[in-house]
Amino acid sequence: MGQHGAEQGEFVCTVERTVEPLVGVLTSFGEIASTSWCLIASPEGDGRVPGPTDERLVGVLVGADAQVVRDLLRERRGEFVVTAPDEIPAEISELLPEGAEWVESQAFNEEATGALYDGRFYFDKKSNRVLFDCSNPVREDGPPPSVVVG
């Protein structure tokens, strides 16, 4: 059995589309209308000493009110720099809009994560989508998102 590609300790990105697990984590974008994301954890049995598991939350979201993203881009215009997201899993990359113009603000990244975890947020100025890539995300009101695989 097993999942194809899971051998050799590779990380697996299974795309989820439920909004609820992200609600307490990604609070800077208002209500989330739709999202596609995956939570990538260190593979079990990878030979490492038991301890904290690194989790990576990667995905793209569309806010219920596109004006929230537009306002962030306008109000913080001087902070954003044109960038190209890197090391995004193929399962998420194929969901990104064609011809996107990604920008990122280091100051916004720190503010959005509350300095509680590492996170990068890329804004597409054309589609008002937000690409997020976070390590060990923490909810403001409790534990991080989790996915039960069974």
Side-chain angles (χ1 to χ4, degrees):
M1 303 269 289
Q3 290 182 319
H4 178 71
E7 311 85 24
Q8 305 297 323
E10 290 182 35
F11 296 96
V12 178
C13 175
T14 303
V15 177
E16 303 285 337
R17 290 187 164 74
T18 53
V19 171
E20 200 291 317
L22 304 182
V23 170
V25 177
L26 305 177
T27 58
S28 300
F29 310 103
E31 185 181 342
I32 299 172
S34 66
T35 184
S36 297
W37 56 274
C38 64
L39 188 66
I40 305 169
S42 296
E44 291 184 38
D46 65 0
R48 293 194 321 173
V49 175
T53 302
D54 289 332
E55 292 183 320
R56 182 176 174 208
L57 177 66
V58 184
V60 63
L61 68 83
V62 177
D65 181 359
Q67 195 61 43
V68 172
V69 171
R70 280 193 218 105
D71 287 348
L72 280 167
L73 287 168
R74 189 183 69 248
E75 293 164 9
R76 305 178 75 144
R77 184 176 355 202
E79 296 177 17
F80 284 94
V81 294
V82 175
T83 190
D86 59 354
E87 298 182 26
I88 302 301
E91 295 86 347
I92 298 299
S93 290
E94 64 191 29
L95 302 173
L96 300 177
E98 287 285 327
E101 293 181 7
W102 298 110
V103 294
E104 178 187 23
S105 161
Q106 190 59 44
F108 177 81
N109 290 347
E110 292 171 12
E111 183 179 301
T113 63
L116 297 173
Y117 60 93
D118 290 330
R120 297 183 73 178
F121 302 91
Y122 305 91
F123 294 74
D124 175 23
K125 296 193 298 186
K126 289 181 173 179
S127 69
N128 293 314
R129 283 182 167 79
V130 178
L131 171 63
F132 50 91
D133 188 352
C134 306
S135 296
N136 299 317
V138 177
R139 291 177 65 111
E140 287 186 352
D141 59 352
S146 61
V147 177
V148 177
V149 179

